[in-house]
Amino acid sequence: MTDQRPIAIDIRKVIKRFGDFTALKEVSLGIRDNEFFTLLGPSGCGKTTLLRMIAGFEDVTAGAIYLYDQEIARLPPNKRPINTVFQNYALFPTMSVLENVGFGLEMQGKSRAEASRRAGEMLELVQLTQFAHRKPSQLSGGQQQRVALARALAPQPRVLLLDEPLSALDMKLRKSMQIELKHIQRETGITFIFVTHDQEEALTMSDRIAVMSAGEVQQLGTAREIYEHPRNMFVADFIGDTNLLEVAVDRIEAGRATCHLGGGHELTCDAVDGVGIGARVHLSVRPERLFLSAEPEEAESLRARVVENIFIGTDITTILDLDEGPRFQVRASNSDRGNRRVFEPGQSAFVNMERGSARLLVD
Amino acid sequence: MQTGAARFDFPGFKLLTFLCLFILYAPLLVVTIYSFNDSRSITTWGGFSLRWYVDVFTGPDSAKFKSAAVNSFSIALIAATVATAIATSAALAMVRGGRFRLRTATFGVISLPILVPEIVTAVAMLIFFNAIGFTRGYMSILIAHIAFCIPFAYLPISARMQGIEGVYEQAAMDLYADRVQAFRRVLLPMMMPGIISGFLLAFIISLDDFIITNFVKGAGIETLPTAIFGSVKQGLRPNIMAISTMLLAFSTVIVTLSWLVSRIDRTK
Amino acid sequence: MAGGAASGGNATSDAYAPARGWLLLPAWLVLGIVVLAPIGLMLIYSFLTKEFRGGVIWEFSLEAYDQFFFDRGLFGDESPTIQWAYIQIFWRSIWQATLATLLCLLIGFPTAYFIATRPANQRTIWVFLITIPYWVNLLIRTVSMRFILRDQGPLNDLLQWVGVISEPLTIINTNLGVQIGLFYSYLPFMVLPLYAAIERYNFSLSEAAADLYAPRHKILTRIVLPAVKPGVIAGCILVFVPSLGSFLAPDLLGGARNFMIGSLIDEQFRGSAGNWPFGAAASMILLTLVLLVLMVLARQQARLEKGAS
């Protein structure tokens, strides 16, 4: 259903080199109209470079970028109907809040009066009307963030780019801004492209996420797809906590692969294209998809010894060593039901896996 | 953020600091006091009087000092203005112009008037004006002043520009400003404190210059420093102290202005 | 030039790269024609023949350098001997400049350190107090010094009144007078860069050293000094270079017998001697000397910076 929407930003085989260093290796992505799209990855993965190329601050070495059906890769930033919320906001320190918000409108040729009227409306939207005549330096970080947002939205861009806009805020404020951003995106109907290295933030807000690493898109999908079905080791490891186990595939029958891991333990999981019999690959299983029991609950229960319990508030993580096998972590919620499944260090326990939760990774 | 730095203080250092300030200020204070001396002799105190200030404006030397002052201030104003414009333009290329081959060489040339001893610059300029047959006078002084004021204007301006991240201009262009608008509306206002202090520094440097001016000025034209030097050579008279005190007060006002500008900058 | 439009209009730190040439043109033109080329011309002049009423005759000659270094000339009939008079003037200048630099460092470092260890709001006031004399006309400051140091001046009056001396001390027209003048002239030039360096110094390093049982003087010599060395070098350059070529202090406080390079050069152009090639040669020797000192210190500075990163 969502696939019916037109493509707002189409990135076609874009390559970016800085001298000898290749920042982006032929990236292609289609970002849909009215989508909250996130580029997620560790620092240096090329996500910010990609964003800056969409904004027009970097040229493309090769490839094309389309805004709807217009090629924009060679337009200067002031000729692109795309605005940016910068990481440290980049509010003009010599101008008042109102002048900041009205700047884009004024540059578009609106009269000063019209620009400041519209800027006033935008400030109302972000609830900063009473600060209109202050200088940006007189505002708190969260307020500056709203001004930056209002400034970028005021000229009604077709696409809004957000470069880690929440990274300078404290945890509490960040959480509430995440919700507010999502809300504003829904209300304005503008396509948002959001860059972050914070996977939790990405999962919270995005319609779709492109996980990037080493100048390439590793996986593209919804938050759930990426979390539940990571395509490769990088994605599995980068998003959330996981148990990454080295396994060898013994046989494949009816779409199920049977593998063994260190210590001779065996388990089965869904087969994946590109992983054949005899392959030595990694298997990912999320700690919250495992549970412990005193007696084996199914054929594939793995016998292990508890090393340590770590209390983290909402959950309890138990570290276990499989008999002659790898180390596991298992997470149980800090609830009556979850606490019944916690064992003391030194005790033996069986590790059980929810069906369909283990996933083979194409490295 | 130097919390606790005072604990690494040395008791003797405070005394030396006061000694340092005493050394720096005592001569200036003494001259200021003696400029109000009623006595014709510079040695004995004859009571408080403004007669030497009156003398500067109406005395036998007043015409000489007046024309010297007009020369000094007009040259300082023009030289500082032109040097500031040249320095701002150069700073844009040096700070915002990326890497280029002649960058180090260019920086060397800009710094020349600071690196080369003033007397050497003075000799070189004298030889230059002489060799091309340029009549030495007001114009030769002005040209020389523009040249040696450039680095003094350049340093605060480029320092200021280095402190301004490129992202502000990017934000302006992202908001549909063209290159010229981004410069005029965003970069220039942010650079203003640097430009003002560069201008003031150049102004003072020009106003104070003696050695180069003395070489390139030619006969029959004086600036305040060369006029004062000429008078001092004939003996220290109280009217010189009055002029000196006025110049001193003027410099103090300029420094204070420059200081206030930098304070405004800090609260940005 | 067209690169700016084609490159997508980068506004990063190379935003003005396309216009670079035009932006630098005025600075290059003015400084190239009025400073750089004249220095080249001065080099040529030092190899020309002197004209008696000032100026030069365009004939190649080594006479200027010959006169500087040798008695009666290298090319004369008698065997040449080294002429010490001018070398001595240079030597005295270097010596005076070195002394002035050390003296400035001796007073300037404690001052800069003291200011840097004040609370932030007091620091600006202290710096302001150091800055005022820095901006006051050097000529006026030197004249003031001359006024104070005179035989019948306030300093001698004070010393006689206290009873330290019975006869007035003669300071003007002595080497000591020049020394005091140089020290006084360039003292602020030492304090300001030192302060800038010490202010940036991270005092938690001192705390770490104290925590590891270092006494205060050891902290100063082992931790603080090495860390602020670039500031020390900058301050020394700013005092030494202008001292070496200074004219006002030797002229107004030293008199005819305490010549320094500046006065020697000045005399060739404006005094009665009027030997332009010789003045140009002396200027070239001074310039070479200064550039050598700058190169050595700049290299050391670069090494320090490399070590720091």
Side-chain angles (χ1 to χ4, degrees), chain A residues 254-272:
Chain A
R256 298 282 289 172
T258 306
C259 331
H260 74 268
L261 54 153
H265 302 278
E266 219 174 62
L267 40 85
T268 58
C269 56
D270 289 331
V272 176

Side-chain angles (χ1 to χ4, degrees), chain A residues 333-341:
Chain A
S333 68
N334 180 18
S335 62
D336 289 346
R337 191 164 161 269
N339 282 329
R340 253 178 272 134
R341 291 178 173 165

Side-chain angles (χ1 to χ4, degrees), chain B residues 2 7-9 17 23-25 89 96-98 100 106 123-124 147 170 179 208 214-215 225 229 233 266, chain C residues 10 12-16 20 23 28 38 113-114 118 124 129 135 137 139 184 199 201 203 216 251 270:
Chain B
Q2 302 275 352
R7 276 189 287 119
F8 296 96
D9 203 9
T17 303
I23 293 169
L24 287 174
Y25 280 94
S89 155
R96 290 284 200 267
F100 56 102
T106 304
V123 166
Q170 286 179 4
R179 180 68 46 73
D208 284 2
N214 204 28
F215 266 72
F229 183 79
K233 277 283 167 181
R266 200 155 296 168
Chain C
N10 276 359
T12 44
S13 65
D14 54 359
Y16 291 88
R20 200 159 55 202
L23 291 169
W28 265 103
Y113 189 91
F114 176 78
R118 293 311 92 200
T124 49
L129 285 175
W135 288 58
N137 197 318
L139 174 64
Y184 173 65
E199 203 241 350
Y201 168 74
F203 272 90
R216 267 200 297 193
D251 193 83
R270 305 181 331 91

Side-chain angles (χ1 to χ4, degrees), chain B residues 1-11 13-14 16-21 23-28 30-31 34 42-43 86 89-90 92-100 102 105-106 109-110 112-117 119-121 123-131 143-144 146-148 150-151 166 169-170 173 179 183 187 197 200-201 204 207-208 210-211 214-215 224-226 228-229 232-233 236 240-241 243-244 247-248 251-252 254-256 258-259 263 266, chain C residues 9-18 20 22-24 26-28 30-36 38-39 41-42 45 55 106-107 109-111 113-118 120-121 123-126 128-141 143-148 150 152 154 157 183-184 187-188 191 198-203 206-207 210 216-217 219-220 238 241 245-248 251-252 262-263 265-266 269-270 276 279-280 283 286-287 290-291 294:
Chain B
M1 279 292 123
Q2 302 275 352
T3 44
R7 276 189 287 119
F8 296 96
D9 203 9
F10 291 80
F13 282 14
K14 186 175 189 175
L16 284 170
T17 303
F18 282 110
L19 178 68
C20 178
L21 286 176
I23 293 169
L24 287 174
Y25 280 94
L28 303 178
V30 168
V31 163
Y34 273 84
I42 55 167
T43 312
I86 293 175
S89 155
L92 266 179
M94 295 290 280
V95 182
R96 290 284 200 267
R99 279 190 221 162
F100 56 102
L102 285 175
T106 304
V109 168
I110 291 174
L112 264 183
I114 292 182
L115 297 178
V116 174
I119 189 105
V120 175
T121 311
V123 166
M125 283 178 169
L126 169 64
I127 288 175
F128 167 71
F129 284 124
N130 186 64
I143 291 169
I146 289 172
F148 73 70
I150 290 173
E169 290 150 87
Q170 286 179 4
M173 293 191 67
R179 180 68 46 73
F183 174 74
L187 185 59
S197 51
L200 291 177
L201 188 57
I204 284 287
L207 197 65
D208 284 2
F210 169 73
I211 297 180
N214 204 28
F215 266 72
L224 279 176
T226 62
I228 292 171
F229 183 79
V232 170
K233 277 283 167 181
L236 210 50
I240 294 298
M241 290 194 240
I243 294 185
S244 299
L247 267 178
L248 210 150
S251 298
T252 310
I254 296 282
V255 203
T256 313
S258 161
W259 189 64
R263 298 274 291 187
R266 200 155 296 168
Chain C
N10 276 359
T12 44
S13 65
D14 54 359
Y16 291 88
R20 200 159 55 202
W22 293 109
L23 291 169
L24 286 177
W28 265 103
V30 172
L31 291 166
I33 294 176
V34 187
V35 182
L36 192 61
I39 290 175
L41 198 61
M42 183 176 76
Y45 265 49
L106 207 68
I107 299 282
F109 186 86
T111 304
Y113 189 91
F114 176 78
I115 296 175
T117 50
R118 293 311 92 200
N121 54 338
R123 261 182 267 158
T124 49
I125 307 282
W126 286 102
F128 181 58
L129 285 175
I130 299 288
T131 317
I132 290 178
Y134 176 85
W135 288 58
V136 168
N137 197 318
L138 185 60
L139 174 64
I140 290 176
R141 295 175 60 212
V143 169
S144 312
M145 216 16 150
R146 182 181 158 105
F147 178 75
I148 283 207
R150 271 173 319 133
Q152 280 86 42
D157 285 352
F183 162 69
Y184 173 65
L187 181 56
V191 178
I198 301 173
E199 203 241 350
R200 274 198 305 271
Y201 168 74
N202 179 0
F203 272 90
S206 287
E207 287 174 355
R216 267 200 297 193
H217 65 277
I219 296 176
L220 187 66
L238 286 179
V241 170
S246 86
F247 170 75
L248 286 174
D251 193 83
L252 291 173
S263 323
I265 294 172
D266 183 73
F269 292 93
R270 305 181 331 91
W276 284 35
S283 300
L286 171 62
L287 182 59
V290 166
L291 290 183
L294 284 178

Side-chain angles (χ1 to χ4, degrees), chain B residues 61-78:
Chain B
D61 290 338
S62 63
K64 186 178 94 182
F65 286 130
K66 200 171 149 195
S67 79
V70 169
N71 289 337
S72 265
F73 280 94
S74 63
I75 287 171
L77 191 67
I78 301 169

